[in-house]
């Protein structure tokens, strides 16, 4: 099951990440979807509706073709990983629209493996 799914999974990610040299090449090759936020400020999740319209059409086509959508419902990197942030409606909206089955995955111990301020 997991190996079969991994080839069909795409995720939403902030558009600014598509500007990072190595990461952008990987994510564009995989086919991940950019989220065009109107602000880079932490905790601000308003998106540019005009830019997102085309992205959402691409996401819909991916899902209709049997693709999977992976997302992080907190909407951002959690600066306090010991505390789960509230889940955002924006992330869940597509799952509701497609009446999708949800598969949950929880990561524990990330700060021990990759401390918050550590460089890549």
């Amino acid at each position: 099951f997991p190996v079969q799914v991994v080839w069909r999974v795409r995720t939403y990610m902030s558009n600014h990440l598509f500007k990072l040299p190595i990461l952008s090449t990987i994510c564009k090759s995989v086919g991940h979807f950019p989220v065009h936020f109107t602000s880079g400020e932490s905790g601000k999740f308003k998106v540019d509706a005009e830019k997102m319209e085309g992205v959402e059409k691409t996401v819909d086509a991916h899902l209709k073709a049997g693709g999977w959508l992976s997302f992080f419902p907190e909407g951002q990197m959690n600066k306090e990983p010991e505390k789960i942030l509230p889940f955002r409606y924006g992330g869940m909206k597509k799952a509701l629209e497609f009446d999708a089955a949800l598969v949950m995955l929880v990561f524990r111990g990330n700060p021990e493996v990759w401390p918050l301020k550590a460089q890549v």
Side-chain angles (χ1 to χ4, degrees), residues 4-62:
Q4 296 168 338
V5 171
V6 77
W7 304 112
R8 298 183 301 179
V9 176
R10 307 290 181 271
T11 193
Y12 285 114
M13 55 188 282
S14 179
N15 187 53
H16 83 276
L17 297 172
F18 283 92
K19 297 174 184 159
L20 300 176
I22 296 170
L23 184 63
S24 66
T25 301
I26 295 168
C27 294
K28 286 176 185 176
S29 298
V30 170
H32 291 320
F33 307 110
V35 177
H36 299 278
F37 292 108
T38 57
S39 170
E41 189 178 337
S42 182
K44 302 288 182 180
F45 298 103
K46 184 170 174 52
V47 297
D48 182 324
E50 189 175 313
K51 287 181 180 178
M52 288 305 297
E53 189 175 325
V55 173
E56 294 303 338
K57 287 179 182 176
T58 306
V59 172
D60 290 352
H62 170 70

